[in-house]
Amino acid sequence: MTLSHYLELNGKRYLLSDNNHLLDLTLWDTQIRDYIAQSIDLKLSDDHVKVIDLIRNSYTRRKKHPYVRVVTADMAKEMGPEKGTMRYFYGLFPKGIHQAFQIAGIPVQGLCF
């Protein structure tokens, strides 16, 4: 059983799990993105934001979690081949795809390879 709590930021309420995963994808916005990133000690750069947007767009379009290889292929198309690598992705998100999903407000799921 997942414990949850409400968080209020600037008058908007978000339902989060006990480890700060957004439980309602429709409530995601940049305010909760920044809060979650800060809560896991990750300072977001422009490249973080681009990758998070790529992940959200892929999830919305495909209706399933993107594999990290799909994300890096999208990164190569959008950000150039030097940034479309697993090494660059893991430099941004050292704890992997689940860390990126958490910040992107994507629901928790099993392993992604």
Side-chain angles (χ1 to χ4, degrees):
M1 182 174 143
T2 301
L3 300 176
S4 60
H5 65 278
Y6 282 99
L7 170 72
E8 186 168 325
L9 298 172
N10 297 317
K12 186 172 178 181
R13 286 173 44 117
Y14 303 91
L15 183 60
L16 300 174
S17 72
D18 56 344
N19 51 1
N20 282 336
H21 286 272
L22 185 64
L23 297 177
D24 183 348
L25 178 66
T26 65
L27 295 178
W28 187 90
D29 58 21
T30 58
Q31 180 172 252
I32 195 65
R33 176 200 70 199
D34 295 347
Y35 173 84
I36 293 170
Q38 181 180 2
S39 78
I40 59 175
D41 296 321
L42 191 65
K43 183 171 172 26
L44 296 180
S45 67
D46 289 343
D47 283 352
H48 284 98
V49 171
K50 287 176 188 172
V51 174
I52 289 165
D53 288 343
L54 290 171
I55 289 170
R56 288 186 55 79
N57 290 337
S58 178
Y59 182 81
T60 301
R61 186 177 66 252
R62 298 169 62 231
K63 305 294 184 229
K64 62 182 184 178
H65 291 79
Y67 294 106
V68 70
R69 284 181 174 77
V70 171
V71 174
T72 56
D74 288 345
M75 289 167 60
K77 288 179 199 165
E78 295 292 321
M79 302 164 68
E82 69 284 350
K83 292 184 178 182
T85 66
M86 295 284 242
R87 181 181 300 245
Y88 193 76
F89 177 85
Y90 283 101
L92 293 173
F93 301 99
K95 294 186 179 171
I97 194 76
H98 292 323
Q99 183 180 43
F101 286 167
Q102 180 180 10
I103 297 167
I106 304 298
V108 178
Q109 65 133 38
L111 296 177
C112 295
F113 295 104

